Amino acid sequence: MWSSFKRWFHQWGSPKWFYERSLVWSRWLGVIALVCIPAGILWGLLFAPEDYQQGNSFRIIYLHVPAAVLAQSCYVLMAAAGFVGLVWKMKVADVVLKSAAPIGASFCFLALFTGAVWGKPTWGTWWVWDARLTSMLILLFLYFGVIALESAIQDAITAGKAAAVLCIVGVVNIPIIKYSVEWWNTLHQPATFKLTEKPAMPMEMWLPLLIMIIGIYAFFGYALFLRSRNEIIERERRTLWVRELVERESAA
Amino acid sequence: MNPKRKQRLLAVTFIVVGVGAAVGLALFALSQNINLFFNPSQIAAGEAPVDQRIRVGGMVVEGSVNRDPNSLAVTFNLTDYNGVVTVAYTGILPDLFREGQGVVTQGRLDTQGIFQADEVLAKHDENYMPPEIQRAVDKAKQAEATN
């Protein structure tokens, strides 16, 4: 068991293996995203019942919550990749970290933006400096920091190391975002969904949300594989296997 | 695992634990400042500064909302079920403002202990419900009250 996990781990750490195997994965994830996102959006925006207090404006949850959840998961993934990259010196981990950052930053921005749009009619303000909103804004700046480091440093290995350190240090922010609504008084409400409890929402409301979350995760996987494959080809352009690949593709 | 890798693993773990501890201590020390608002019971206990811009948050007490018929002035009581503070506000209240609902107000506490608010924000809770279910709940509550 352990040795097969170790083998699997090292196989995915090889750029060539990653490049070859990721195509199938990205295709399947793309199909799931293509089914789930339109289904979830249409169901959530058109057919789910409206809320007894917020009316239709609550429907922004179908974009806001998946984006916010993904922005946080993506950062944890980057920190994990940074950890593997620093300790095991795996090239693929650096590639994944670099490729994930812009996707995570986009979703983080989307979560902040949809939250502000919802906050105006519900709370009466676009923005308030409470712990949840502020820590989420810090997450966006952390993403910007990672992207800036990656593009500011020419040498890919040095850039990867610097970004990995920033990711690992910044991951402290993730539990702060998660628990900010419980530790402090905030304007943002606590989580509607908890792993250990029944959701504070009926099924006809949370089912489309669940579909959206699955769709967004699938889309993230799809985009991440695509971007990583691109990055691998660029970084490994001098190796034999990439040259052979290019020759084969151009001959076909 | 070779010794070099083990060394790096230790270094990275040390960074994570160290940064985590430092941030944790800083947040713990700052926790009063990170709270967005004071609770009514904190105001009642005199923990909030008088005549400084602060926020107070709580539930609007049922039946406590008094609107001035000639202006936009309104007063209401806020509670956290431990203490009560009276809020005076002039202006348009947010759509979700209603009795029994959470709000966060910003303003100054005057010397009589009345909170002079210049901004009222509605706080939404984590519960979502279709309106039909809410009507059914209200009906059940009414039936219980009449029995």
Side-chain angles (χ1 to χ4, degrees):
Chain A
M1 171 75 188
W2 176 242
S3 64
S4 66
F5 171 74
K6 239 173 131 177
R7 206 181 65 216
W8 173 86
F9 182 68
H10 284 283
Q11 273 169 342
W12 277 95
S14 133
K16 185 170 179 239
W17 177 282
F18 185 99
Y19 187 84
E20 283 164 358
R21 297 304 163 101
S22 56
L23 186 63
V24 187
W25 280 88
S26 68
R27 275 189 187 150
W28 276 108
L29 288 169
V31 169
I32 295 172
L34 209 61
V35 172
C36 285
I37 292 178
I41 281 279
L42 288 178
W43 189 356
L45 295 190
L46 300 178
F47 301 110
E50 60 180 51
D51 182 58
Y52 72 117
Q53 287 205 322
Q54 304 171 48
N56 280 320
S57 69
F58 105 95
R59 293 182 198 279
I60 210 154
I61 198 176
Y62 295 110
L63 215 52
H64 178 73
V65 169
V69 167
L70 189 91
Q72 294 172 65
S73 312
C74 175
Y75 200 87
V76 173
L77 176 87
M78 282 160 59
F83 182 75
V84 170
L86 279 184
V87 176
W88 280 271
K89 303 272 175 201
M90 271 186 192
K91 288 183 207 160
V92 170
D94 280 356
V95 167
V96 166
L97 194 160
K98 186 181 178 186
S99 311
I103 313 174
S106 315
F107 278 104
C108 193
F109 176 78
L110 187 66
L112 286 167
F113 180 76
T114 52
V117 169
W118 175 83
K120 186 63 191 165
T122 314
W123 295 336
T125 182
W126 297 99
W127 183 265
V128 63
W129 290 100
D130 84 345
R132 170 58 73 83
L133 275 66
T134 309
S135 56
M136 201 65 186
L137 187 66
I138 292 173
L139 182 69
L140 183 65
F141 290 149
L142 282 169
Y143 273 122
F144 287 161
V146 172
I147 296 170
L149 271 181
E150 290 278 9
S151 48
I153 302 170
Q154 282 283 312
D155 178 44
I157 293 173
T158 321
K161 267 187 202 161
V165 170
L166 180 58
C167 281
I168 289 169
V169 169
V171 83
V172 187
N173 191 33
I174 297 295
I176 296 176
I177 297 177
K178 170 96 177 71
Y179 293 106
S180 54
V181 288
E182 290 169 30
W183 291 341
W184 302 294
N185 291 333
T186 55
L187 189 60
H188 193 287
Q189 66 267 31
T192 298
F193 302 93
K194 296 189 189 90
L195 283 179
T196 48
E197 279 171 48
K198 226 167 72 166
M201 187 184 244
M203 195 181 75
E204 63 261 41
M205 280 177 161
W206 63 250
L207 206 56
L209 182 60
L210 181 70
I211 293 173
M212 264 312 279
I213 291 177
I214 294 170
I216 292 275
Y217 268 98
F219 172 76
F220 171 68
Y222 167 75
L224 180 61
F225 273 130
L226 233 57
R227 290 180 60 88
S228 304
R229 287 163 60 78
N230 244 346
E231 184 73 24
I232 284 177
I233 287 291
E234 201 181 325
R235 287 194 187 190
E236 302 282 301
R237 61 184 178 276
R238 293 198 183 83
T239 60
L240 191 62
W241 72 270
V242 173
R243 273 196 236 157
E244 280 173 0
L245 184 87
V246 171
E247 269 164 32
R248 242 184 296 135
E249 294 278 315
S250 49
Chain B
M1 201 181 269
N2 68 35
K4 193 100 194 192
R5 238 175 237 173
K6 203 171 244 172
Q7 207 180 9
R8 289 198 295 255
L9 185 72
L10 275 175
V12 172
T13 317
F14 182 75
I15 292 175
V16 174
V17 173
V19 171
V23 171
L25 286 172
L27 289 179
F28 183 72
L30 289 173
S31 60
Q32 260 318 308
N33 300 313
I34 297 172
N35 279 331
L36 185 72
F37 52 83
F38 286 95
N39 292 320
S41 52
Q42 286 173 306
I43 306 259
E47 282 175 38
V50 172
D51 206 34
Q52 270 189 32
R53 259 181 92 73
I54 54 167
R55 289 197 190 90
V56 180
M59 288 284 183
V60 181
V61 179
E62 303 256 0
S64 73
V65 180
N66 267 314
R67 283 171 209 271
D68 181 24
N70 302 318
S71 70
L72 284 172
V74 58
T75 64
F76 52 88
N77 292 343
L78 284 184
T79 180
D80 59 354
Y81 305 110
N82 274 323
V84 177
V85 61
T86 302
V87 179
Y89 174 69
T90 304
I92 296 164
L93 292 162
D95 293 350
L96 280 190
F97 178 93
R98 56 200 74 173
E99 293 176 359
Q101 193 62 39
V103 295
V104 175
T105 61
Q106 188 167 40
R108 285 164 203 278
L109 194 63
D110 68 12
T111 40
Q112 280 97 52
I114 291 174
F115 192 71
Q116 302 289 343
D118 50 39
E119 186 182 35
V120 175
L121 301 177
K123 185 166 159 54
H124 186 260
D125 65 15
E126 69 271 32
N127 297 307
Y128 293 81
M129 237 189 288
E132 308 88 78
I133 295 182
Q134 175 59 28
R135 276 199 290 276
V137 169
D138 287 345
K139 219 182 250 173
K141 267 191 196 154
Q142 248 171 21
E144 209 169 273
T146 48
N147 282 341

